Amino acid sequence: MTKIALVTGANKGIGKEIARQLAQQDVHVIMAARDSKRGQAAVDELSREGLSVELVVLDVTDDSSVTAAAKTIQDKHGKLDILVNNAGIAVWPQDALQLDVKAFQTAYDTNVFGIVRTMGAMHGLLKASGEGRIVNMSTSLASLGLIQKNPDLMLLPAYNSSKSAVNALTVIYAKLLADDAIKVNVACPGFVDTDLNNHMGIRNVKEAAATPVRLALLDSDGPTGGFFNDDGSIEW
Ligand code: NAP
């Protein structure tokens, strides 16, 4: 039976490429975008490549939008095999300390609460799959071990700590969802040339999508509760 995937923030950047690579492996991909026009343009692009994709409008910061997307998927497909929580934002510090609560609220609302919201709405659909896979997009900048050890690591307090929270959620939900046969892992794509960092990144999106796609397609004997990049495991 065809696998069904939902990729959030799929209208551009790494998310669009994850959608492309999953669809190239015969997965039907629901490309989620908060803006219907931008989302439709991305769906049209992948459709022209002969890929099986469709659009759902989904803003991860908006409860009603996430609930409506889940209902649409329930009515149309009745299950979800793969959820890639890719939608994310970087919040660059105005000053190095970034001790304003607003910056943290902004980063956490999308990067952390957005994932909680989406997982909450999609849990029943993933359970219905019988082999659900959740991939949360994070970064080596979230690794507490690497922050301590590496003096050159970029310190963006709101962004890095929001992704550390994503890592923590992954470990916890990997345990809580194991009885539903759902695997939950974190993917780090590396430093990627996208809008998120004003194209300062050095990897391309094709390279960046490889690890999340691998984790989305794990067999039943694959890992859960891990933090991975192309080279293997990353320390927490
Ligand atoms: P990007 O090009 O800026 O794309 C981000 C995507 O997230 C866009 O589709 C954006 O939609 C969407 N998004 C933002 N807020 C949203 C919301 N409230 N609801 C729904 N969608 C929303 O960034 P990217 O580099 O591809 O990043 C993708 C993921 O990888 C992020 O989680 C990021 O933290 C992570 N990551 C990136 C890098 C890197 O070097 N680029 C490194 C490590 C991790 P709009 O077009 O509507 O804004």
Side-chain angles (χ1 to χ4, degrees):
M1 202 154 77
T2 305
K3 283 189 176 169
I4 312 288
L6 173 67
V7 181
T8 64
N11 57 288
K12 68 176 182 180
I14 303 167
K16 185 170 75 177
E17 182 61 24
I18 292 170
R20 175 183 280 118
Q21 291 186 20
L22 284 173
Q24 285 170 342
Q25 301 210 43
D26 295 327
V27 175
H28 175 75
V29 182
I30 304 164
M31 298 174 70
R34 61 178 159 177
D35 179 275
S36 63
K37 274 195 184 149
R38 290 197 289 271
Q40 192 58 53
V43 165
D44 290 347
E45 180 186 332
L46 268 57
S47 297
R48 282 194 297 273
E49 296 172 15
L51 299 172
S52 176
V53 293
E54 66 176 274
L55 173 68
V56 72
V57 174
L58 190 163
D59 181 336
V60 299
T61 64
D62 180 341
D63 285 339
S64 57
S65 165
V66 178
T67 307
K71 184 171 183 329
T72 301
I73 297 167
Q74 173 67 51
D75 292 348
K76 208 162 172 186
H77 301 286
K79 66 156 188 172
L80 199 56
D81 302 294
I82 296 164
L83 167 63
V84 183
N85 286 310
N86 167 79
I89 54 167
V91 178
W92 300 92
Q94 299 299 313
D95 64 73
L97 290 180
Q98 198 174 40
L99 284 172
D100 64 306
V101 171
K102 185 84 184 68
F104 285 79
Q105 284 171 331
T106 302
Y108 279 57
D109 197 20
T110 299
N111 297 348
V112 185
F113 307 144
I115 288 183
V116 174
R117 231 176 243 118
T118 308
M119 286 204 303
M122 305 299 163
H123 172 230
L125 288 161
L126 287 155
K127 193 173 169 180
S129 156
E131 49 181 4
R133 304 287 178 260
I134 299 175
V135 182
N136 293 328
M137 294 299 284
S138 184
T139 164
S140 54
L141 302 181
S143 161
L144 304 183
L146 293 179
I147 291 170
Q148 282 196 313
K149 273 186 220 159
N150 185 345
D152 298 325
L153 214 69
M154 221 187 312
L155 296 176
L156 312 173
Y159 178 70
N160 295 20
S161 67
S162 73
K163 293 293 187 175
S164 304
V166 170
N167 292 0
L169 288 175
T170 302
V171 175
I172 292 165
Y173 281 101
K175 287 192 182 287
L176 291 174
L177 298 177
D179 287 346
D180 297 336
I182 298 172
K183 294 184 188 295
V184 194
N185 288 292
V186 185
C188 169
F191 190 35
V192 189
D193 175 2
T194 67
D195 288 348
L196 186 102
N197 50 35
N198 294 319
H199 298 274
M200 290 185 297
I202 51 173
R203 307 189 82 211
N204 62 47
V205 291
K206 195 169 176 195
E207 295 164 323
T211 291
V213 167
R214 179 174 64 79
L215 295 172
L217 296 172
L218 285 175
D219 289 334
S220 56
D221 57 356
T224 189
F227 183 15
F228 300 99
N229 65 11
D230 290 356
D231 299 326
S233 290
I234 307 180
E235 67 178 287
W236 296 110

